[in-house]
Amino acid sequence: MRKYASKNDGKELALQEEAMKKASAYVADLARKLDRQPLCCVTTFGCQMNARDSEKLLGILSRIGYAPTDKEEEADFVVYNTCTVRDHANQRVYGRLGFLNSIKRRKPHLKIALCGCMMQEETVIEKIKKSYRFVDLIFGTHNLFKFAELLVTMFENQEMIIDIWQETDQIVETLPVSRKYAYKSGINIMFGCNNFCSYCIVPYVRGRERSRDPREILQEIERLVTDGVVEVMLLGQNVNSYGRNLDEPITFAQLLREVEQIEGLKRIRFMTSHPKDLSDELIDVMKHSGKICRHLHLPVQAGSDRILQAMNRHYTKKEYLSLVEKIKAAMPDIAITTDIIVGFPGETLADVEETIDVVRQVQYDNAFTFLYSRRTGTPAAAMEEQVPAETAREGFDRLLKVVQETAKERAALLQGKVMEALVEEVNEQDASLMTGRLSNNMLVHFPASQELIGQFVDVSLDTCHGFYYTGHVVEPCSLKEAVQ
Ligand code: SAH
Ligand code: SF4
Ligand code: F3S
C-alpha cells in the first residue's frame, strides 16, 4: 500500500508529541500562577476549511491543558484563524485586534496568535509588525501542523514569533482534533486550488491543489464513525477534481462510492463543486446513493458569458444551465445553492440581468451573494474597468430581491411534507425547540428533547418561514426502525 501522506506522519507526529509535552509544562505553570485552568478561545473567520483547521488547533490546545471558551474576554490565549477572500473579512480581524489589545493591557499574560489565509499575505504581516506589536505568534496555512512546536517557541520567547511557509508537500492529519459537534464532522479530502479564477485569492494563500490518499480518508471516516459521527462533509475548494494528481488517480465519484460503503455512516455532504468539473459519473453516483444528501452547492458567480470568461470560470451560461437541467432531471428533489459575485470589473447592469436570469431559471434554494472585492495580486485587481460602488450596489440589490423571492418559492414547496432531519442543537432563540437539518440542508425547528441531538427524526414541516421551517416530530426514526 502506497503511503504518500503518512510517510512523514510518523516522524512528524513524534516531533509534535514531544512539543505538546513541553508546551503542557508551560500551561501547567500558568495554571499554578492563575490558580485555575487556563482558558483558550479560537475564533474562526471564513470557510469550512478554516472551521476544520480550528478544530485541529483546539485539539492541540486542549491536549496541552487549556479549557475552551467562546468568550475572548475570558480567555488566556486567543487565536484568530483568519480569512482574506474579501476585504471585509480582513477589516473585521483588524477591528477585533484593537479590542484584544485593550484586554491585553489589563491582562498582560494574555497570549494572542494569528493564523490562516490572511497571514499568507506579505502586506498583512508588514502591517501587523508595524501596528499590532502585541501579537505573540503568527503562522500560515501550510504549517498549521507545526502548531505545537510554534507554541513552545512562543512560550520560550518574549518577542513576536512569525513563521510563514510559501508551500508544503506534507499532509499531516493525525494530530489531536477537538470536534465542535459529536455527530458530524468535516474531512479534508484535498488542499489548495489550481483554478485561478481571476478575482480569487485562495490559490495564492492555500497553494497548489493536493489530494489526500483515498485510503487515509476512508480510515479517518471509519474512525469518526466509531466515535459517533453519522454525517460527514468532504471538504475541498474543488472536490470535482479530487484524485486527478494522485500517483494512482481516482475520481471524486469513485471516492464517494467507497465512502458510501462505510457502515454506520448515514449522511454524506461535500463542498465545493466547480461546474466545469462536475461529471456524469458524479450525478449517477448521487442519484443512486442512499447516503449522499440531496444538496449541491454549485457556484455560478455570474450569468454573462463575457464576465464568466474574464473570471476564468471555463463555462458559459448555456453550459451551466444545461448542467443544472441534467442534475435536476436525474434528481428532481435536489436542492441547488450557489455563490454569486456582483461588481466584477467591467460588469454592467445588463450583465447582472443575465445573472438574474440564471437565478430565475435554476430556481436556487439559496444563493450567497457577494459584492466584488479587489484582492491585491489577483488578475482582476489589475483590470481597468473597476465598477463604481453605486453601480455594483444597484446590481446587488436587484439580484438579492430575486434570489430571496425564488428561495422562498422553493422552500414553500415542501411545506406540510414529512422529512427526515438530523437533530443538531438546541434552538438559539428558544430553548424548548431543537434545530434539525434536512437532507437538502434546510433547517427546521421543533419541540423535542435535547436527548435527540445526533439522532434522526421524521419531522412534519408545518410552516415555511422563507429560509427555515417550524414543525413537529412525527416519529423518531430510531423508534420507527425498532418497531419494524
Ligand atoms: N472554491 C470555492 C469557493 C471559495 S471562496 C468555489 O470555487 O466555489 C467562496 C466564494 O467567495 C466564492 O464562490 C466567490 O463567490 C466568493 N469570492 C471569492 N473571491 C471573491 C472576491 N474577490 N470578491 C467577492 N467575492 C469573492
Ligand atoms: Fe477561488 Fe476559483 Fe479556486 Fe474557488 S475554484 S477557490 S473561486 S480560484
Ligand atoms: Fe477564506 Fe481561506 Fe476559506 S481565504 S474562504 S478561509 S480558504
Side-chain angles (χ1 to χ4, degrees):
M1 183 163 135
R2 187 169 45 83
K3 287 263 182 180
Y4 165 69
S6 61
K7 189 170 57 194
N8 294 323
D9 262 28
K11 210 166 117 213
E12 192 56 52
L13 200 63
L15 262 176
Q16 299 312 313
E17 286 287 351
E18 192 53 40
M20 280 188 264
K21 256 189 225 146
K22 269 194 183 169
S24 305
Y26 288 105
V27 181
D29 207 32
L30 178 64
R32 271 190 296 276
K33 279 190 197 128
L34 298 172
D35 199 22
R36 61 168 170 82
Q37 189 179 10
L39 300 173
C40 70
C41 177
V42 179
T43 303
T44 312
F45 301 82
C47 66
Q48 306 268 2
M49 316 260 170
N50 258 21
R52 181 65 178 157
D53 285 347
S54 289
E55 292 187 342
K56 296 174 188 168
L57 298 169
L58 211 51
I60 288 175
L61 290 169
S62 306
R63 171 74 74 84
I64 64 171
Y66 284 99
T69 170
D70 289 339
K71 299 193 184 80
E72 281 170 20
E73 57 278 16
E74 279 181 1
D76 306 292
F77 188 6
V78 175
V79 184
Y80 280 177
N81 189 7
T82 64
C83 168
T84 186
V85 79
R86 285 170 290 275
D87 188 51
H88 177 67
N90 297 45
Q91 293 316 321
R92 274 179 62 209
V93 169
Y94 290 128
R96 289 174 71 149
L97 272 177
F99 162 71
L100 278 191
N101 191 22
S102 66
I103 302 180
K104 191 160 178 163
R105 282 210 203 97
R106 292 197 309 271
K107 193 162 69 175
H109 77 267
L110 171 67
K111 295 278 182 205
I112 301 170
L114 300 177
C115 63
C117 295
M118 212 176 137
M119 301 305 129
Q120 292 296 137
E121 290 180 277
E122 254 168 61
T123 49
V124 170
I125 301 297
E126 287 314 312
K127 184 165 172 167
I128 295 168
K129 279 205 302 212
K130 212 168 121 218
S131 312
Y132 300 87
R133 293 292 320 157
F134 54 90
V135 172
D136 299 282
L137 169 65
I138 304 176
F139 58 101
T141 55
H142 301 299
N143 56 343
L144 190 110
F145 65 93
K146 292 279 187 192
F147 186 44
E149 263 180 283
L150 290 164
L151 285 172
V152 174
T153 315
M154 178 188 79
F155 286 128
E156 290 177 351
N157 289 277
Q158 287 310 307
E159 71 272 23
M160 185 190 275
I161 307 295
I162 305 177
D163 191 12
I164 310 289
W165 297 6
Q166 287 319 309
E167 268 291 351
T168 182
D169 59 0
Q170 262 175 292
I171 297 180
V172 185
E173 288 285 306
T174 40
L175 289 164
V177 177
S178 236
R179 286 203 318 274
K180 191 169 173 192
Y181 302 97
Y183 53 87
K184 69 171 183 179
S185 178
I187 316 272
N188 295 112
I189 64 164
M190 59 206 296
F191 302 88
C193 181
N194 284 354
N195 287 313
F196 291 95
C197 301
S198 63
Y199 50 81
C200 184
I201 201 162
V202 171
Y204 305 88
V205 295
R206 286 272 172 176
R208 291 296 61 71
E209 186 180 294
R210 287 164 297 132
S211 294
R212 268 178 90 191
D213 186 301
R215 282 156 290 206
E216 309 222 339
I217 296 169
L218 295 169
Q219 280 165 15
E220 185 178 348
I221 300 176
E222 278 161 9
R223 277 198 303 273
L224 286 166
V225 170
T226 311
D227 201 30
V229 165
V230 289
E231 176 178 309
V232 290
M233 163 91 85
L234 309 180
L235 298 171
Q237 294 298 350
N238 177 14
V239 291
N240 295 317
S241 66
Y242 169 79
R244 274 186 204 161
N245 302 326
L246 283 171
D247 296 348
E248 300 163 36
I250 156 172
T251 63
F252 178 55
Q254 282 169 317
L255 176 74
L256 280 174
R257 270 200 204 104
E258 305 253 345
V259 176
E260 173 108 21
Q261 302 303 317
I262 297 175
E263 222 170 288
L265 182 68
K266 300 276 174 24
R267 274 184 175 180
I268 305 166
R269 298 185 186 275
F270 52 84
M271 279 261 257
T272 297
S273 287
H274 195 305
K276 78 176 165 61
D277 296 311
L278 197 143
S279 66
D280 289 350
E281 189 194 7
L282 176 68
I283 299 175
D284 192 59
V285 169
M286 287 184 82
K287 179 179 171 168
H288 294 103
S289 166
K291 294 186 180 176
I292 302 174
C293 289
R294 283 293 189 252
H295 172 219
L296 191 64
H297 187 62
L298 195 64
V300 64
Q301 313 297 3
S304 143
D305 287 343
R306 193 172 55 85
I307 298 300
L308 282 170
Q309 191 174 19
M311 285 179 161
N312 196 29
R313 290 292 291 180
H314 297 280
Y315 53 82
T316 60
K317 176 182 173 188
K318 196 162 158 234
E319 283 163 351
Y320 182 91
L321 288 173
S322 52
L323 177 64
V324 169
E325 211 172 292
K326 200 157 58 172
I327 295 164
K328 287 195 168 182
M331 295 167 282
D333 58 342
I334 196 150
I336 300 181
T337 57
T338 202
D339 290 345
I340 299 171
I341 298 175
V342 180
F344 182 86
E347 192 178 52
T348 62
L349 287 173
D351 291 319
V352 178
E353 288 302 326
E354 295 279 334
T355 310
I356 292 176
D357 185 46
V358 174
V359 174
R360 288 219 166 90
Q361 291 199 46
V362 175
Q363 292 276 303
Y364 291 110
D365 290 74
N366 200 2
F368 300 94
T369 48
F370 306 108
L371 276 167
Y372 167 72
S373 175
R374 196 173 184 175
R375 309 315 288 134
T376 314
T378 61
M383 289 179 186
E384 274 168 16
E385 296 171 83
Q386 299 290 322
V387 175
E390 320 79 76
T391 316
R393 188 78 236 178
E394 181 173 348
F396 185 89
D397 290 344
R398 280 193 207 171
L399 171 72
L400 192 64
K401 208 167 144 265
V402 182
V403 161
Q404 287 172 344
E405 279 165 15
T406 39
K408 250 192 198 159
E409 276 169 35
R410 286 281 304 167
L413 293 177
L414 295 180
Q415 181 165 293
K417 293 224 170 8
V418 173
M419 294 186 90
E420 190 181 68
L422 173 59
V423 186
E424 295 208 330
E425 54 200 357
V426 178
N427 183 293
E428 274 174 23
Q429 267 92 46
D430 180 347
S432 72
L433 298 178
M434 301 302 292
T435 298
R437 192 177 295 272
L438 307 175
S439 172
N440 70 7
N441 213 33
M442 291 279 282
L443 295 179
V444 54
H445 308 285
F446 48 88
S449 139
Q450 281 197 35
E451 277 152 33
L452 287 177
I453 289 180
Q455 301 204 26
F456 289 93
V457 290
D458 278 350
V459 182
S460 164
L461 309 176
D462 300 333
T463 315
C464 172
H465 302 265
F467 294 102
Y468 66 92
Y469 304 94
T470 46
H472 70 276
V473 175
V474 174
E475 177 175 40
C477 295
S478 51
L479 219 81
K480 202 172 58 179
E481 278 163 23
V483 172
Q484 278 164 2

